[in-house]
Amino acid sequence: MASNVDSAPKSTLPYPPIHKDKKFVVLSDWLVNLPHAADLTDHLGFGVEKRRQGNLDILAEKKTFRDAFREMLESVSANGHTFEECKEVLKKNITLDVGFRDFYRYCKEHDIPVVIISSGMAPLIRAVLSNLIGEEDAKEIEIVSNEVDVQPDGKWEIKYRHPTSGFGHDKSQAILPYRDLPDPPTVFFFGDGVSDMSAARHANVLYVKQKEGGDNDLAAYCRRESIPHILFEDFGHALRSVSAIVEGKKSAQDALAEGRA
């Protein structure tokens, strides 16, 4: 396979080393449930209607994710909400995905790295993870995401990993190095929204979370672009599918053909 390095957008942030000698790798957008009360833009920014329209504009390719997401976050900062306040709101309201503890335990037992690939900001993700699963387990999980710039006056803004990319964080760049290895692992990618569109074509097995309320933008994108994917409700369901592939009971192609975990 030809190298993808030359075409990669320059990253302003370091990457953790890739896991070169693994048979399977899990890359996941997020490991939690994001209830309505935890959406910063909906409650602290310009509201659910404009946030939803922004996502639809991204899906329709009228706006880039980078620009639309920056507008969402700027609306929170412009309303006077500090970064520390946002961190506390998320810690208070976000819950761990049902089944993730068992899923993570299975991955550790089978030497499968779990890496978060997020369009969010690392300090928020690390704070929420530490709160949900404890600091020791949280430290073991690598995070590839964006960062944040906080000014002395309290104003803050997102620092994109790939500022020249319309995705802000082009998640394909976390997957493609694995695809370029001489003996590449099977890469499982878990996503749920428009921030995952850059990753959708590149994982060996794409899992798309089925969300309540109709905001299933990644599933809509995959259907439109004819990208094979597996719908899952939570990591408990996903574990059944992943373990069947890991243990050789089912091929990745067969799992994708079924389309649901």
Side-chain angles (χ1 to χ4, degrees):
M1 179 183 290
S3 173
N4 297 283
V5 174
D6 293 339
S7 61
K10 183 178 179 181
S11 179
T12 61
L13 300 166
Y15 279 92
I18 64 172
H19 299 275
K20 294 183 177 180
D21 301 317
K22 306 300 182 183
K23 291 184 64 177
F24 303 93
V25 176
V26 168
L27 307 180
S28 181
D29 171 58
W30 217 184
L31 317 172
V32 299
N33 290 314
L34 185 64
H36 183 61
D39 195 298
L40 297 177
T41 306
D42 290 5
H43 291 271
L44 304 182
F46 52 43
V48 62
E49 187 173 335
K50 287 190 71 173
R51 190 267 303 164
R52 183 67 190 128
Q53 186 58 52
N55 284 347
L56 292 174
D57 287 344
I58 297 164
L59 186 60
E61 300 180 353
K62 295 178 181 179
K63 279 187 176 181
T64 65
F65 179 86
R66 176 195 61 203
D67 295 344
F69 191 51
R70 180 184 285 120
E71 290 173 5
M72 295 176 195
L73 295 178
E74 284 177 347
S75 76
V76 176
S77 180
N79 281 349
H81 300 289
T82 68
F83 192 71
E84 287 302 312
E85 180 184 352
C86 294
K87 189 183 294 185
E88 291 306 312
V89 168
L90 294 180
K91 287 169 63 177
K92 179 180 177 181
N93 289 289
I94 285 180
T95 59
L96 193 65
D97 183 280
V98 175
F100 177 72
R101 290 186 189 278
D102 289 340
F103 181 90
Y104 184 58
R105 187 180 304 115
Y106 177 88
C107 288
K108 288 185 69 173
E109 290 172 352
H110 289 79
D111 196 26
I112 303 172
V114 176
V115 184
I116 292 177
I117 311 295
S118 174
S119 289
M121 293 165 281
L124 293 183
I125 299 167
R126 188 68 70 188
V128 170
L129 269 187
S130 297
N131 186 55
L132 291 176
I133 65 174
E135 289 196 15
E136 289 305 311
D137 281 341
K139 286 178 183 177
E140 291 184 357
I141 299 179
E142 295 166 349
I143 297 173
V144 180
S145 67
N146 300 304
E147 268 291 346
V148 61
D149 283 326
V150 181
Q151 304 302 321
D153 64 359
K155 293 288 186 181
W156 57 274
E157 63 180 4
I158 192 168
K159 179 182 179 181
Y160 279 121
R161 177 173 288 272
H162 301 127
T164 61
S165 165
F167 294 108
H169 177 191
D170 183 345
K171 296 183 181 182
S172 71
Q173 299 306 314
I175 300 173
L176 293 174
Y178 286 102
R179 304 295 294 267
D180 282 342
L181 291 174
D183 186 18
T186 296
V187 175
F188 302 107
F189 187 90
F190 290 81
D192 70 347
V194 290
S195 70
D196 302 305
M197 287 162 52
S198 60
R201 299 182 187 278
H202 302 288
N204 298 106
V205 188
L206 173 64
Y207 289 88
V208 176
K209 187 161 187 178
Q210 185 77 35
K211 298 193 293 185
E212 295 181 5
D215 293 6
N216 293 299
D217 296 330
L218 182 59
Y221 175 77
C222 289
R223 289 194 299 270
R224 186 183 79 197
E225 302 296 321
S226 300
I227 299 172
H229 60 284
I230 299 171
L231 292 173
F232 76 105
E233 294 180 13
D234 57 53
F235 274 95
H237 290 88
L239 176 55
R240 296 200 296 265
S241 176
V242 168
S243 63
I245 296 171
V246 168
E247 296 167 24
K249 299 173 183 176
K250 188 178 295 184
S251 71
Q253 292 73 20
D254 287 342
L256 283 166
E258 291 176 2
R260 185 175 290 274

